[in-house]
Amino acid sequence: MTPVKILISLILIISVCSISAQDDLEALLMNEMGEEVEYEFGTFISNNVLNNHSTEMTNKNGIGFRISHKFGSLKSGPAAFYGFDNAISLFEVNYAPVDWWNIGLGRSTVNESMNGYTKFRIARQSSGAKVMPVSVAMLLVANCVTTQFEDETRNNQLAERLDYTSQLLIARKFGKNFSAQLTPTYIHRNLVKTKADLNDLVALGFGATYKIKQHFSVNAEYFWVQKHNTPSTEYFNPLSVGVCYQTSRHAFELFVTNSNGITETQFLANTTNDFLKGDVRIGFNIATVFTLKSKK
Amino acid sequence: MNLRQLFTVIMVLLALCGSAQKYMTKTGYVYFKSHTDAIDIDGSNNKVAAMFDVSSGEIVAIVLIKAFELPLATADKHFNEVYMESDAYPKATFKGKFVNLQNVDINSNETQELDVEGVLSLHGVDKPFVQKVNISNNKGKLSGTCSMKINIDDFGITVPENVKDRVAKVVDVKVELTLEEVKK
């Protein structure tokens, strides 16, 4: 090959290179950008599946309010207006100092209890440059019963009034409309009703949501709870089925459930109604969130 | 032609090839604001990628929709799911050309106005787009800024009936890009 031939072929190669580079500036830029991390949005509509927390969290500087009601058993019939007269409720406020951390404070009318919780985001479902198949959050709840004990000699001990729930919330959004959550749970109660009741309980929760249309989903939640060995009371696994609707600022959940508590220890460990026998009640949550100050 | 001459010619060619001078950024900034009497909704994104080819005057900018941060609570979810539908349309792109590039000195540190025209592709809709851009050169970094108004109807973005008075039809958008020369 003569130098001239080499030269000509080089000119051809270089000109082809430069032409193609100029022709597709976009491709060149895309190449420079590389792959981005794409986080999944809206695994669940609100911070709760129905009773239990979901992996969703209040965003940084957000302050969230949640009002939760459960009426009495539908079985109570017309005398108690199908449970309307025996509502229990929870009022809760939560705050997000940073995107991955929420703290909350709540008051429930069941046993006049106060609860505080903290929720951390451990992982967020993403694709692209960083692939993470699930969103994971950790929830720690401490609940304090402030009602007078029946046995008055027990009254002054704070420790006896406390119970704790620890949960790992593991959720995945499958496609656009369906999300599921797995919730391994550990409950510790400092004081239980009888000797046969367990102080420590494990539970495993299954939650799911299916978006029927924008802002409207059907949700279901079930917990398998370790059986107590109690002769006096029979406990059941809580099951809840309902719908969730979202407006620009509020999320509403309307559901039927057999659980008769609102905070985690109450509905997980103290559900005494059998869903299959129709011993259910209507539950209703309203959640709203405000922004305290704008992110810079 | 001896080898030395050949070498010289190759070097000249490579130099010419390299002189297809390009500027680029991956941290450009875009800000939008929807103003209504009921509520102001704004968001910003500082991950805009843009590339500018000096010789041809071409410019390309890519905006990843999910990279927008909206300070208002729950607004990011609505922005991505309802309005921008970022799963289906993950990015907005602008492909265009400066029309009067030969009239300005891109090495000048004074602010100069340039017209750019091209196609803006947003929410899956391509629209011809003409825009005035202010450029200036600050120590070898080329900055371009522009403000525009985007009519969301033009790009097929619909607002649900119940929030019609909370989302503006015409959204103000500001873009600030600082491009650095691409080193070969």
Side-chain angles (χ1 to χ4, degrees):
Chain A
M1 216 188 224
T2 64
V4 177
K5 276 187 185 164
I6 296 177
L7 183 63
I8 290 171
S9 37
L10 266 171
I11 290 174
L12 280 172
I13 290 167
I14 290 172
S15 51
V16 166
C17 282
S18 60
I19 286 170
S20 65
Q22 278 182 1
D23 264 2
D24 215 339
L25 203 58
E26 190 187 5
L28 205 61
L29 180 58
M30 297 262 285
N31 197 29
E32 286 284 343
M33 284 168 75
E35 230 182 344
E36 285 285 317
V37 183
E38 276 197 43
Y39 289 108
E40 202 59 72
F41 277 88
T43 305
F44 289 92
I45 281 182
S46 85
N47 289 5
N48 288 67
V49 179
L50 286 172
N51 283 307
N52 205 82
H53 274 264
S54 71
T55 49
E56 293 296 308
M57 294 180 69
T58 300
N59 287 347
K60 185 181 173 184
N61 293 325
I63 182 155
F65 296 93
R66 180 165 165 255
I67 298 163
S68 186
H69 286 293
K70 257 177 217 169
F71 299 108
S73 174
L74 285 174
K75 270 191 160 175
S76 62
F81 207 68
Y82 300 94
F84 183 81
D85 299 349
N86 303 313
I88 53 172
S89 52
L90 166 86
F91 183 78
E92 179 201 294
V93 55
N94 62 69
Y95 172 63
V98 283
D99 273 325
W100 51 269
W101 183 33
N102 284 183
I103 43 175
L105 207 59
R107 166 77 179 185
S108 155
T109 56
V110 181
N111 297 333
E112 297 168 1
S113 57
M114 292 292 297
N115 74 78
Y117 72 83
T118 177
K119 188 172 170 185
F120 299 91
R121 177 182 287 143
I122 296 167
R124 206 171 153 192
Q125 188 181 342
S126 65
S127 54
K130 190 176 121 196
V131 179
M132 175 58 68
V134 289
S135 294
V136 182
M138 173 105 202
L139 176 76
L140 303 168
V141 191
N143 189 56
C144 177
V145 173
T146 67
T147 188
Q148 293 281 109
F149 287 139
E150 278 169 36
D151 179 355
E152 286 190 0
T153 57
R154 313 201 71 138
N155 253 342
N156 298 318
Q157 299 201 29
L158 176 68
E160 293 183 345
R161 300 177 168 278
L162 295 173
D163 49 61
Y164 309 94
T165 306
S166 315
Q167 287 186 325
L168 208 54
L169 312 161
I170 306 163
R172 178 172 166 84
K173 189 173 181 180
F174 299 87
K176 256 186 102 170
N177 297 321
F178 179 73
S179 307
Q181 180 172 300
L182 202 62
T183 318
T185 304
Y186 170 72
I187 299 165
H188 175 80
R189 294 175 293 171
N190 281 352
L191 181 68
V192 287
K193 257 188 207 148
T194 65
K195 271 193 173 166
D197 284 277
L198 299 170
N199 286 88
D200 297 277
L201 282 174
V202 291
L204 183 62
F206 306 89
T209 183
Y210 184 78
K211 203 191 284 171
I212 288 178
K213 54 182 218 176
Q214 198 78 56
H215 302 321
F216 188 79
S217 69
V218 175
N219 292 12
E221 185 184 84
Y222 176 76
F223 273 84
W224 168 86
V225 186
Q226 187 182 359
K227 276 277 166 279
H228 301 234
N229 232 343
T230 46
S232 53
T233 325
E234 194 183 356
Y235 293 103
F236 293 89
N237 292 338
L239 171 67
S240 315
V241 182
V243 290
C244 185
Y245 175 70
Q246 184 178 42
T247 65
S248 59
R249 189 163 253 172
H250 298 80
F252 300 93
E253 282 130 29
L254 181 66
F255 54 98
V256 288
T257 177
N258 62 330
S259 62
N260 43 355
I262 294 192
T263 60
E264 286 74 10
T265 24
Q266 292 160 7
F267 76 77
L268 290 172
N270 284 323
T271 294
T272 50
N273 306 87
D274 189 353
F275 196 99
L276 297 174
K277 289 199 177 120
D279 200 356
V280 293
R281 50 196 71 217
I282 289 172
F284 184 57
N285 303 333
I286 306 171
T288 183
V289 58
F290 297 95
T291 307
L292 282 188
K293 59 183 177 202
S294 58
K295 249 191 263 203
K296 276 279 177 301
Chain B
M1 195 182 254
N2 63 27
L3 268 179
R4 176 174 287 201
Q5 283 170 318
L6 175 63
F7 184 71
T8 316
V9 173
I10 290 171
M11 288 315 285
V12 169
L13 275 173
L14 284 175
L16 279 175
C17 189
S19 81
Q21 196 188 10
K22 291 187 185 69
Y23 285 85
M24 197 189 79
T25 182
K26 287 188 226 174
T27 55
Y29 174 80
V30 58
Y31 172 84
F32 78 87
K33 185 171 188 175
S34 146
H35 169 77
T36 60
D37 289 339
I39 192 166
D40 285 352
I41 301 164
D42 62 351
S44 60
N45 178 336
N46 49 23
K47 289 186 183 150
V48 180
M51 197 178 254
F52 168 50
D53 187 325
V54 180
S55 57
S56 64
E58 277 181 281
I59 180 155
V60 174
I62 298 176
V63 181
L64 294 171
I65 303 301
K66 282 186 182 172
F68 271 99
E69 290 186 8
L70 286 81
L72 190 71
T74 70
D76 55 348
K77 207 156 106 181
H78 297 279
F79 177 77
N80 280 291
E81 288 189 347
V82 184
Y83 301 103
M84 302 305 292
E85 300 179 80
S86 57
D87 276 333
Y89 315 110
K91 61 191 183 193
T93 50
F94 173 74
K95 272 185 274 187
K97 207 167 177 165
F98 286 107
V99 281
N100 45 356
L101 191 66
Q102 65 279 9
N103 301 341
V104 301
D105 173 13
I106 64 154
N107 294 316
S108 160
N109 59 2
E110 276 172 41
T111 304
Q112 302 168 86
E113 198 176 72
L114 271 177
D115 286 320
V116 66
E117 62 178 40
V119 176
L120 178 64
S121 160
L122 179 69
H123 192 247
V125 178
D126 292 350
K127 268 198 89 74
F129 193 75
V130 181
Q131 178 64 39
K132 286 208 181 308
V133 180
N134 290 313
I135 67 154
S136 64
N137 191 322
N138 180 16
K139 292 174 192 143
K141 289 182 185 176
L142 210 53
S143 332
T145 61
C146 68
S147 303
M148 59 189 108
K149 288 186 184 300
I150 288 182
N151 189 329
I152 62 170
D153 283 341
D154 290 348
F155 294 95
I157 299 168
T158 51
V159 180
E161 201 61 45
N162 59 339
V163 289
K164 273 239 149 68
D165 58 337
R166 298 170 72 84
V167 178
K169 281 275 161 211
V170 177
V171 175
D172 294 312
V173 176
K174 259 193 281 186
V175 181
E176 292 171 21
L177 303 175
T178 304
L179 294 90
E180 287 179 56
E181 197 174 340
V182 180
K183 300 274 187 301
K184 286 278 169 184

